[in-house]
Amino acid sequence: MEVLLIALVGIACIAFLTTYIGQRWRSKKGGDVVIETPVEPVEECCGAHEICETDLINKMSEEIIYYEDEELDAYKNFEENDFNDDQIDEFREVLYSLKENEMEGWLRSLELRKIELPSIIKSEVVFMLVRN
């Protein structure tokens, strides 16, 4: 048992010394020089930030952007439970024609235009946002 313990300690010491000596030798040779390559800005949000810069800009903007949904202006000042099935389908048609990165902008556009989403569409939007 003592022989096994001494052998394990010896192997650990040898591993430590070789790692230590190897690192010092590489640093003297200049092997640890890190060359940073410039990173080009990404057009779309990469999702790596807590707050995406593009989302922040969109939220600050008061400009109304239409997503081929001008017909929804007819529902200005409706309550979320005032819609019939055909009207809900109009919202659904626009929602499912959007690209992933357009959904937040579309919601902001509706907010600026004072258009409330039907309650069922709100549920679908939440599901889609959580899924992505």
Side-chain angles (χ1 to χ4, degrees), residues 41-74:
V42 180
E43 298 262 339
E44 296 179 15
C45 181
C46 64
H49 305 94
E50 264 186 60
I51 299 173
C52 184
E53 291 86 6
T54 58
D55 290 343
L56 188 59
I57 291 169
N58 288 341
K59 288 178 183 171
M60 292 180 354
S61 173
E62 294 297 320
E63 178 185 354
I64 296 174
I65 300 171
Y66 284 90
Y67 293 84
E68 297 182 19
D69 64 345
E70 293 81 6
E71 69 276 5
L72 299 180
D73 284 339

Side-chain angles (χ1 to χ4, degrees), residues 63-103:
E63 178 185 354
I64 296 174
I65 300 171
Y66 284 90
Y67 293 84
E68 297 182 19
D69 64 345
E70 293 81 6
E71 69 276 5
L72 299 180
D73 284 339
Y75 305 119
K76 183 177 181 175
N77 297 323
F78 272 51
E79 296 293 322
E80 67 181 47
N81 295 317
D82 292 345
F83 297 96
N84 64 35
D85 289 340
D86 292 332
Q87 294 167 334
I88 291 171
D89 286 339
E90 287 183 52
F91 281 92
R92 191 172 281 128
E93 184 179 316
V94 175
L95 174 64
Y96 288 103
S97 69
L98 295 172
K99 297 176 186 169
E100 272 186 45
N101 60 348
E102 293 178 330
M103 190 173 304

Side-chain angles (χ1 to χ4, degrees), residues 12-28:
C13 288
I14 292 171
F16 173 75
L17 286 174
T18 55
T19 303
Y20 177 75
I21 292 170
Q23 286 179 347
R24 288 194 52 139
W25 182 67
R26 265 188 266 130
S27 66
K28 286 182 181 178

